[in-house]
Amino acid sequence: MIGNDLSCSSCNSLYSIKNGIPDFRKKNDYWCNVSREKMIELNRLAEETGDWKTAAEEIIPQYINHFESFFRADAQFLWPTSSDSRILDAGCMWGGLTVPVAQFHREVYAIDKTIETLEFLKIRSRQMGVDNIFPVASPIKSLPFSDNFFD
């Protein structure tokens, strides 16, 4: 780490940390079901009120079923993993799989190219008292992890 940046010992590249989220993206991509402005408003309201769910119900009510209930992650019980496993959720968006999977595994690394959805996931997990989720902004094709890092 150099100042507030992360440095790669292999290629000497510097990567910023935005709002506590390591950012390994080369460009500020955005992909989400809602506009960037709505995501910024959602994050602001969730942070301000301390209630991510009410904020989501107000700002993006049509999408809350995509990430609020835990049943979407039931397939995890078929995975060859254990409570000590380190999981990668690539393309995590709002954390529809991330949060439920974190209940049963040691660590979950939530990867997405959209920093605003990662910020929401960070707010949500903090407000839920889930402390084993690690949001990382990164393209899926060039993950900043060593081989065999995940189970």
Side-chain angles (χ1 to χ4, degrees):
M1 194 151 159
I2 299 175
N4 290 330
D5 293 330
L6 298 170
S7 63
C8 176
S9 58
S10 298
C11 67
N12 295 321
S13 294
L14 288 178
Y15 299 96
S16 64
I17 299 174
K18 295 182 179 168
N19 212 9
I21 299 169
D23 187 358
F24 295 95
R25 301 170 305 156
K26 300 278 187 217
K27 55 185 177 177
N28 189 11
D29 283 340
Y30 187 84
W31 188 95
C32 186
N33 298 53
V34 300
S35 70
R36 181 172 265 163
E37 293 73 29
K38 267 196 174 186
M39 276 309 303
I40 291 168
E41 176 65 12
L42 173 61
N43 292 341
R44 184 199 59 74
L45 186 60
E47 193 74 78
E48 184 179 284
T49 63
D51 186 349
W52 69 269
K53 187 175 178 185
T54 299
E57 288 169 343
E58 181 176 325
I59 305 293
I60 54 169
Q62 68 275 37
Y63 295 110
I64 195 149
N65 287 335
H66 289 262
F67 58 88
E68 190 267 333
S69 60
F70 279 24
F71 74 89
R72 291 189 70 216
D74 284 353
Q76 72 177 303
F77 301 114
L78 302 174
W79 299 346
T81 57
S82 72
S83 60
D84 197 43
S85 293
R86 182 182 291 143
I87 306 298
L88 168 67
D89 183 0
C92 65
M93 219 165 138
W94 294 309
L97 299 177
T98 313
V99 174
V101 167
Q103 308 301 305
F104 298 97
H105 296 88
R106 178 172 45 112
E107 297 174 345
V108 180
Y109 286 77
I111 310 300
D112 206 281
K113 68 179 182 177
T114 304
I115 198 86
E116 291 83 359
T117 58
L118 291 168
E119 288 171 344
F120 177 76
L121 177 55
K122 184 177 175 194
I123 293 165
R124 177 184 177 201
S125 60
R126 184 181 71 243
Q127 289 178 1
M128 293 179 74
V130 179
D131 63 358
N132 62 335
I133 294 173
F134 304 96
V136 177
S138 174
I140 291 173
K141 291 184 178 181
S142 59
L143 296 174
F145 302 99
S146 60
D147 290 345
N148 302 311
F149 185 77
F150 299 103
D151 298 306

